[in-house]
Amino acid sequence: MKKGIILYKSKYGAAQKYALWLKEMTGFDCAKTGKEAEKMVDSYEILVLCGGIYASGIAGISFLRKNKDRLQGKKMAVFCVGASPYDERTLEEIKEHNLKNDLKDIPVFYGRGAWDERKMSLVDRTLCRMLQKSVAKKDPADYEPWMEALMCAAGQCCDWTDQRYLEPLMEYLKMRSP
């Protein structure tokens, strides 16, 4: 059986960037989620899912749900990527929203991604602008970390990706066995 695989689902490239960095750091295989990945997972001991966060949902989680019976006994982790700075409370909410029932014990790690409205789909760009308008009505002193990040990123092209975000995940992969 092969050691590990990193599966990723990336809309704008940041989750893919982390997946490729993780591939370099671990020597694991790497593939996009989908039909081909479904055929591959049986032959690995470790599975890491890298996915972007969109409207509180982690891209690729449906792959874990769909294949949860086949993934029993494997060491798993989720590395999610978002535009906001790390916030423990928000990450816990994202975990509760995405990893329920049989998936709730999978550890979740976080890396900050990127923001480039020029690359966003019309729908995503429109939703972000609507959210920015809504947040702009609030007192900046009451902003949560994600709100502040959203307002600061508006109209900017930002890349916050950093390999150091992978360090806690690397520590988990080294210290725990399936």
Side-chain angles (χ1 to χ4, degrees), residues 46 75 167-178:
I46 301 169
K75 180 177 184 175
E167 290 172 3
L169 173 57
M170 289 298 295
E171 194 61 30
Y172 167 77
L173 293 173
K174 287 178 188 174
M175 297 186 66
R176 308 271 314 252
S177 59

Side-chain angles (χ1 to χ4, degrees), residues 55-161:
S56 299
I58 302 172
I61 287 295
S62 59
F63 180 90
L64 295 183
R65 278 193 204 103
K66 182 178 178 183
N67 294 286
K68 68 181 177 184
D69 292 335
R70 294 176 56 212
L71 299 173
Q72 291 295 321
K74 296 187 185 300
K75 180 177 184 175
M76 292 189 286
V78 172
F79 186 85
C80 57
V81 181
S84 297
Y86 176 81
D87 177 66
E88 193 170 329
R89 185 176 57 85
T90 302
L91 184 59
E92 193 57 38
E93 289 172 4
I94 288 169
K95 182 178 178 178
E96 288 174 17
H97 176 74
N98 289 273
L99 298 169
K100 299 173 183 171
N101 304 322
D102 294 348
L103 302 179
K104 70 179 181 201
D105 293 328
I106 298 174
V108 177
F109 301 88
Y110 182 82
R112 196 161 186 203
W115 179 274
D116 187 348
E117 293 174 17
R118 297 170 305 172
K119 291 182 179 179
M120 290 182 189
S121 68
L122 177 61
V123 171
D124 287 348
R125 193 171 44 252
T126 301
L127 289 172
C128 286
R129 288 185 180 152
M130 288 171 50
L131 187 56
Q132 287 164 340
K133 285 180 182 180
S134 173
V135 170
K137 295 175 184 175
K138 297 180 180 288
D139 180 349
D142 295 332
Y143 283 178
E144 293 182 40
W146 70 267
M147 293 175 179
E148 187 174 338
L150 177 72
M151 298 310 286
C152 289
Q156 304 293 314
C157 183
C158 307
D159 184 348
W160 303 286
T161 57

Side-chain angles (χ1 to χ4, degrees), residues 27-46:
F28 291 177
D29 291 334
C30 187
K32 290 181 182 178
T33 59
K35 293 284 183 198
E36 285 302 310
E38 285 182 34
K39 296 174 188 173
M40 300 167 66
V41 296
D42 291 334
S43 56
Y44 293 91
E45 298 171 29
I46 301 169

